[in-house]
Amino acid sequence: MPDMDVALKDAMQIDGAIGVALVDRSSGMALGVAGGDRNFDLTVAAAANTEVIRAKLRTMEMLGLRENIEDVLITLESQYHLIRPLTGRTGQGLFLYLALNKDRANLALARHQLKRIETGLDI
């Protein structure tokens, strides 16, 4: 099973990948990042997207939905942002955050590849 660094490098091989982070949902801290640049700070994005996941989980609780979130998609004019909570035993409370260039990415394939990366991730 790949460790975190290998999983992040694998995620950066997804067509259109701008950056990826493994994030602790309770603190908003990025445990690991790959990609990004000075104009795209992945640690800031990780912390902010923690609030997105928390809000969705609160909403699901209020609605009595007892399902797991597969992923959350945010579509911008030029980017896709995928947030994928980890469901494996070792990944509870963590999520993968992947930013993609919309012109270069295949969204369906990116979701499939991120799921594969999550399945193989051992933390």
Side-chain angles (χ1 to χ4, degrees), residues 25-28 49-59:
R25 188 173 66 211
S26 62
S27 69
N49 281 300
T50 300
E51 294 304 318
V52 172
I53 287 292
R54 288 178 185 163
K56 186 59 187 171
L57 289 170
R58 281 191 306 271
T59 301

Side-chain angles (χ1 to χ4, degrees), residues 30-100:
L31 304 177
V33 297
D37 59 33
R38 64 185 181 112
N39 296 318
F40 194 91
D41 187 335
L42 283 163
T43 57
V44 171
N49 281 300
T50 300
E51 294 304 318
V52 172
I53 287 292
R54 288 178 185 163
K56 186 59 187 171
L57 289 170
R58 281 191 306 271
T59 301
M60 290 174 61
E61 185 178 338
M62 289 187 303
L63 294 172
L65 298 175
R66 307 245 185 265
E67 298 184 44
N68 291 323
I69 297 171
E70 284 189 27
D71 56 44
V72 175
L73 169 64
I74 300 167
T75 305
L76 306 177
E77 290 175 2
S78 64
Q79 298 176 358
Y80 294 123
H81 292 226
L82 280 171
I83 304 167
R84 184 171 183 84
L86 303 186
T87 57
R89 180 182 52 81
T90 62
Q92 289 294 318
L94 304 177
F95 66 89
L96 283 166
Y97 165 66
L98 175 66
L100 299 161

